Amino acid sequence: MNFVECHEEPIHIPGYVQSFGYLIGIDAESHFITFFSENIRDIFAIEDVNILFDKKISDFPESFQSIIESEIYNSLNTFTRRENETYFDKIFIHGTEYHFSVFRNSGRIFLEFEKVIENPNKRISNKYDNFYIIDNAQEIWDQLLNTLSKIVNYDRMMVYKFMTDGSGKVIAEKRSNGIHSYLGLHYPETDIPRQARELYLKKRKRIFSNVYSETVPILSKIQQNIDLTFAASRGMSPIHGQYIKNSGASSSFSVSIIIDDKLWGLVTCQNTEPKHIDLEDRVQAGIFTALASNAYSSFKTKRELKYRLDLNEKSAFLKTEFLKQNSLFDSLVQNRKEIMNIAEADGLAIISDDNIVKTGITPAHAVIQKIVNWAYENTDESIYINRSFLKEYGNDLELDKDSAGIIIYFIDRVKNEMLIWFRREFDEHIDWAGNPEKKVDVFVQNGEEKQIVSPRKSFEVFKENIKGNSKRWSSRNISGVQVVRDVILETSHKQYNTIKQLNDQLKKVNEELDSFSYTISHDLGTPLTVMKLNAQMLLSNFDKSEKEKNKLKSIIEEIDNMAEMMHDVLQLSRAKHSEIELESLQPHQTIEKISENARITFDSPKTEIIIKEAPEVLADKTMLHQVFLNIINNAVKYSSHQEQPTVKIEGQEVGETVVYKISDNGIGIPEEEKHKMFKIFNRMDNAKKFKGNGIGLSIVHRIMKRIGGNVDYKSDKEGTSFILTFKKP
């Protein structure tokens, strides 16, 4: 008897479609009909469908008139050049309106049909455009579910996040009254096995309208099974169908959450009664999910950038402190608390020859010595990380709960120098949606009995207690350890080639940062363009009320706003790395032009801009324009809500410098937030009602440093004055 693993089930070639869909397949070269779903006889009035084989659609003008007359069909060779790209249209078949979808895959062109279903209850909130101003990951996903509920409105709607091992967890949920909660529950990897996750990455919207309905077989003269990966009506796996039934649902709908080109999670919807969602609504759900995914990615990038900046400050502090000591061992001992905290550990042990110095919560000296001996015998890595050290080696090394997780960094094996970070045992409980243990059933396929993992029959909470682990060491913790390593290497008196290697690594990091900035501005432009085109398609291809058109226009506007933010990030990178050419410049004309444009940009014609003396400065022409552009724009923008908005610009020579003062009577800068003024992506609380992304002042700060100048400011309730100090020509 053969055993079939979940990931081996060929779910992309079921041999049938769901009853809501109608499918015709033609050869991409000859356009001969090669396969079709048996139910096409129902909508095209063909009694003997077998006569279709080896014929063209055009050979049956009476039956397929609406297809033949469609724009897509008449341009098949143009529309289907790219694999797996779907094109949409609407056609009438015998008086009934159908969605008509076409895509090309593996030398075949798929023609797919489903009835148009009006959704009179659909309501789109204007809150979708708040995705990019939310500074909390949980709020992004909650907002997504609230938005999607106005379109699809299932009994239970969840955001399901994949873990690194393929298992998943429900991190957000919206449900109807009387539906019990799955929020916080974990699901084993076998619930959505590997090949299913691969399909979700390819086909990002998936609906099962009625798991109890009869499937429709595919009739074909082709020997091999038809790959239905990209067909919207692809039939579901019998095992998955039983899984949904066991959960108490009759219908499901899912949209993939793609982040960094990887399947991060799913929006998963379930309904107790059968339910079909119109294709147009499914497309809209996909667009909103993509918006939320990009907002989360942006949030994550901002958070990571802030962490990196904080880590750089800690690194600089450690370097300074290390250089105050006469030896590496003294440096480590004097800064042991900072070294422990940088990895968010509970304890730290510093080992040098026979010396062991501890801080925080650590095991006894004798146990630490056993760990040291084990490390030399069992690992060749310079950095070893394990959160299950107690579980795996507790008995052999006589460990206790204070050493459940460890990170070991070998400073110098010859000198017996190393650092060991410790984490205590974490009393871990996982709430599973049902018992995650695999249960095996027997089924017959082609006359042969096979075993396969059976879907769970109960989804009641199953608690699992896990012992011997610490909390997970995150990527941030590992980065902290790497910072300590780099500080040690940089401040220790190593040979020249070690220092050169570090410099090369630093150069590579800077190159990667530049590449990251260009990736933001270039690579992310593609999905933004796709979303914009989809929104424009919805705006032009479907009948819409004025209210719906306004919502779609708002989507397009928000996409343009994100493109502007990416442009600003690129400008920030260029301000640091682009070449400069210092020369004597007269800023007066530049200031006048920027001032006039600012009035138009911020719709503030009543703003009085007073330009006094504007002496020459020593600067780079392009960068000087960027500095005044950001400062003057801010002055006009943040004073535009005043009754009599006023901006004053004046320069004067002060010794060997030229000082420009740009003052406004705007909202001012709160005293408690002044320390964050020039940090990237930082926006004051009182400024969030104005449009912006918090990059402009970071650009100014970086440029002024590069050209040998300085930027400062003074602010109170009456307004703000920015002070730009340039070198005198």
Side-chain angles (χ1 to χ4, degrees):
M1 184 180 297
N2 294 329
F3 184 81
V4 180
E5 291 283 0
C6 289
H7 62 264
E8 295 174 346
E9 187 187 8
I11 59 178
H12 63 298
I13 50 172
Y16 49 83
V17 296
Q18 298 177 66
S19 58
F20 72 82
Y22 306 85
L23 184 64
I24 299 176
I26 63 177
D27 182 82
E29 299 298 328
S30 67
H31 289 186
F32 285 155
I33 298 172
T34 56
F35 62 89
F36 45 82
S37 59
E38 190 178 42
N39 60 353
I40 66 168
R41 71 173 84 234
D42 299 334
I43 62 171
F44 292 110
I46 302 174
E47 292 185 8
D48 183 9
V49 290
N50 290 311
I51 65 173
L52 300 177
F53 286 121
D54 299 327
K55 299 288 181 61
K56 295 183 178 181
I57 295 287
S58 57
D59 292 335
F60 303 90
E62 292 185 2
S63 297
F64 297 129
Q65 180 182 3
S66 55
I67 299 177
I68 296 169
E69 293 176 352
S70 69
E71 181 182 356
I72 291 182
Y73 183 77
N74 284 291
S75 307
L76 279 182
N77 291 330
T78 302
F79 281 143
T80 58
R81 287 177 181 171
R82 295 176 62 178
E83 287 275 297
N84 309 323
E85 185 173 19
T86 303
Y87 300 89
F88 301 101
D89 199 356
K90 284 183 179 179
I91 62 175
F92 281 89
I93 304 174
H94 299 303
T96 302
E97 192 174 20
Y98 287 81
H99 290 293
F100 179 29
S101 308
V102 179
F103 64 91
R104 177 183 180 136
N105 179 259
S106 302
R108 305 182 186 98
I109 297 175
F110 291 69
L111 313 178
E112 196 167 17
F113 312 85
E114 60 178 272
K115 286 183 181 179
V116 172
I117 300 176
E118 298 297 333
N119 184 359
N121 299 317
K122 180 167 64 176
R123 295 178 296 112
I124 305 237
S125 166
N126 64 348
K127 290 186 177 180
Y128 68 82
D129 56 4
N130 290 338
F131 284 137
Y132 292 98
I133 63 172
I134 295 175
D135 289 330
N136 181 285
Q138 185 63 47
E139 288 184 23
I140 291 175
W141 302 124
D142 290 340
Q143 182 62 57
L144 173 61
L145 294 183
N146 286 330
T147 302
L148 294 185
S149 68
K150 308 296 190 302
I151 305 171
V152 298
N153 194 29
Y154 275 73
D155 292 338
R156 177 187 285 113
M157 303 175 65
M158 304 173 287
V159 173
Y160 178 95
K161 179 183 178 181
F162 288 107
M163 304 291 112
T164 54
D165 61 357
S167 65
K169 180 182 179 181
V170 178
I171 62 169
E173 181 184 58
K174 185 175 179 61
R175 53 197 169 89
S176 303
N177 293 334
I179 301 295
H180 59 278
S181 176
Y182 285 169
L183 185 62
L185 296 187
H186 290 250
Y187 291 74
E189 184 270 344
T190 51
D191 278 19
I192 307 178
R194 184 174 63 247
Q195 87 279 30
R197 298 195 296 274
E198 291 172 355
L199 287 186
Y200 279 121
L201 189 58
K202 296 175 181 178
K203 182 66 177 176
R204 301 186 179 185
K205 295 177 288 293
R206 190 81 171 103
I207 188 167
F208 298 116
S209 302
N210 186 353
V211 297
Y212 292 96
S213 66
E214 293 293 328
T215 58
V216 180
I218 299 292
L219 304 182
S220 170
K221 282 193 172 182
I222 302 173
Q223 294 298 319
Q224 70 269 33
N225 292 317
I226 307 299
D227 185 349
L228 299 179
T229 294
F230 296 94
S233 59
R234 168 167 50 90
M236 70 189 319
S237 151
I239 297 172
H240 185 55
Q242 189 59 52
Y243 176 90
I244 293 178
K245 293 175 184 177
N246 292 351
S247 71
S250 298
S251 174
S252 73
F253 172 57
S254 61
V255 184
S256 303
I257 299 174
I258 309 298
I259 295 177
D260 297 331
D261 293 327
K262 295 180 181 178
L263 183 65
W264 184 90
L266 296 170
V267 174
T268 301
C269 309
Q270 295 179 343
N271 212 64
T272 53
E273 298 295 330
K275 183 169 187 172
H276 184 67
I277 302 298
D278 185 73
L279 176 61
E280 178 183 347
D281 292 342
R282 303 201 305 266
V283 169
Q284 275 195 327
I287 291 173
F288 284 123
T289 301
L291 284 172
S293 301
N294 283 335
Y296 174 79
S297 182
S298 175
F299 163 78
K300 188 176 66 170
T301 300
K302 290 179 184 178
R303 186 178 58 180
E304 183 63 24
L305 182 57
K306 182 180 182 302
Y307 172 75
R308 289 288 176 181
L309 294 173
D310 291 342
L311 203 57
N312 286 342
E313 291 182 5
K314 293 177 181 178
S315 173
F317 172 80
L318 281 177
K319 288 176 188 176
T320 302
E321 293 300 311
F322 269 44
L323 292 172
K324 293 178 181 179
Q325 307 300 323
N326 294 323
S327 69
L328 173 61
F329 183 71
D330 290 341
S331 298
L332 295 171
V333 171
Q334 291 299 319
N335 296 279
R336 57 188 182 276
K337 287 187 178 180
E338 288 78 9
I339 295 171
M340 177 185 72
N341 292 333
I342 204 169
E344 298 177 331
D346 296 318
L348 173 74
I350 302 168
I351 295 93
S352 180
D353 291 330
D354 295 329
N355 298 316
I356 297 178
V357 177
K358 305 188 300 178
T359 189
I361 302 172
T362 63
H365 274 67
V367 175
I368 292 175
Q369 189 58 57
K370 288 183 180 181
I371 295 173
V372 170
N373 296 337
W374 176 92
Y376 276 103
E377 294 174 3
N378 292 278
T379 179
D380 295 325
E381 306 168 48
S382 61
I383 296 178
Y384 171 82
I385 304 164
N386 193 336
R387 70 171 294 239
S388 305
F389 200 66
L390 175 60
K391 181 191 293 185
E392 296 173 10
Y393 304 105
N395 293 333
D396 296 340
L397 301 178
E398 299 180 355
L399 305 176
D400 58 24
K401 63 181 181 179
D402 293 337
S403 51
I406 66 170
I407 297 179
I408 301 174
Y409 165 48
F410 287 94
I411 301 173
D412 191 325
R413 287 177 180 264
V414 175
K415 296 180 180 179
N416 189 30
E417 292 178 340
M418 71 171 68
L419 299 174
I420 306 178
W421 287 265
F422 295 96
R423 272 189 178 168
R424 305 185 69 187
E425 183 179 26
F426 176 59
D427 192 11
E428 191 171 10
H429 303 278
I430 296 181
D431 291 339
W432 296 96
N435 191 331
E437 292 183 4
K438 295 181 179 180
K439 295 185 182 295
V440 178
D441 276 351
V442 177
F443 74 105
V444 178
Q445 186 179 57
N446 299 326
E448 181 184 4
E449 285 192 349
K450 295 184 178 181
Q451 291 181 324
I452 195 164
V453 174
S454 170
R456 297 192 303 286
K457 294 180 174 60
S458 171
F459 288 80
E460 291 186 9
V461 177
F462 179 89
K463 290 186 178 292
E464 180 183 13
N465 297 322
I466 301 175
K467 298 291 185 181
N469 293 338
S470 70
K471 289 185 177 180
R472 295 183 186 276
W473 298 103
S474 69
S475 60
R476 293 187 174 194
N477 304 145
I478 298 167
S479 295
V481 171
Q482 291 169 339
V483 162
V484 173
R485 175 200 62 189
D486 294 344
V487 169
I488 291 172
L489 291 175
E490 187 172 341
T491 56
S492 298
H493 300 292
K494 297 290 183 180
Q495 296 178 350
Y496 169 79
N497 60 348
T498 302
I499 297 174
K500 183 177 182 300
Q501 183 181 6
L502 287 174
N503 287 333
D504 291 340
Q505 290 175 354
L506 181 61
K507 181 180 179 182
K508 183 178 179 181
V509 168
N510 282 329
E511 290 172 351
E512 289 174 351
L513 286 173
D514 285 343
S515 175
F516 173 71
S517 296
Y518 280 93
T519 296
I520 288 178
S521 64
H522 182 269
D523 290 358
L524 289 186
T526 300
L528 283 178
T529 301
V530 171
M531 285 190 289
K532 186 173 181 178
L533 288 174
N534 279 331
Q536 290 172 335
M537 180 193 73
L538 288 172
L539 188 62
S540 61
N541 285 5
F542 300 116
D543 293 331
K544 296 285 181 184
S545 67
E546 197 61 33
K547 184 176 181 181
E548 290 171 323
K549 288 181 180 179
N550 289 335
K551 296 303 179 184
L552 287 169
K553 290 176 182 176
S554 186
I555 293 176
I556 295 169
E557 182 182 349
E558 288 303 319
I559 292 172
D560 290 338
N561 288 341
M562 187 173 183
E564 182 182 352
M565 178 183 287
M566 294 189 301
H567 173 268
D568 287 346
V569 171
L570 181 60
Q571 291 298 325
L572 182 66
S573 175
R574 286 175 174 167
K576 182 177 181 180
H577 300 293
S578 59
E579 294 183 2
I580 62 173
E581 182 177 347
L582 297 180
E583 58 183 313
S584 179
L585 298 171
Q586 168 53 254
H588 193 279
Q589 189 174 355
T590 298
I591 292 171
E592 282 187 334
K593 186 175 181 181
I594 291 172
S595 299
E596 195 57 37
N597 289 340
R599 285 196 187 97
I600 299 171
T601 301
F602 299 103
D603 193 22
S604 185
K606 64 179 182 178
T607 298
E608 181 183 12
I609 301 180
I610 303 169
I611 304 174
K612 296 186 176 181
E613 294 296 322
E616 291 185 354
V617 298
L618 185 66
D620 177 87
K621 185 175 182 180
T622 301
M623 290 189 173
L624 181 70
H625 182 275
Q626 194 74 21
V627 166
F628 280 114
L629 178 69
N630 281 287
I631 296 296
I632 295 173
N633 277 354
N634 278 355
V636 174
K637 176 170 63 174
Y638 293 123
S639 63
S640 60
H641 291 184
Q642 303 297 327
E643 289 185 7
Q644 293 181 329
T646 304
V647 177
K648 296 179 182 179
I649 304 168
E650 182 179 13
Q652 60 178 340
E653 296 182 5
V654 181
E656 294 302 312
T657 64
V658 178
V659 178
Y660 272 80
K661 186 176 181 181
I662 298 97
S663 304
D664 64 67
N665 62 341
I667 59 175
I669 302 167
E671 181 69 30
E672 64 274 14
E673 295 191 24
K674 288 185 177 181
H675 66 286
K676 302 186 294 183
M677 195 61 197
F678 296 108
K679 291 186 176 181
I680 187 172
F681 298 126
N682 177 66
R683 302 203 73 211
M684 307 303 164
D685 289 339
N686 63 340
K688 291 184 177 178
K689 60 184 177 181
F690 295 87
K691 186 178 179 181
N693 50 43
I695 299 177
L697 289 179
S698 297
I699 295 174
V700 171
H701 185 262
R702 183 167 288 180
I703 288 175
M704 294 304 293
K705 292 295 183 184
R706 288 209 66 200
I707 64 176
N710 186 47
V711 56
D712 203 352
Y713 63 93
K714 296 178 180 179
S715 185
D716 53 33
K717 294 180 180 180
E718 297 178 1
T720 302
S721 296
F722 276 89
I723 302 161
L724 303 171
T725 303
F726 299 88
K727 287 184 178 179
K728 190 175 179 181

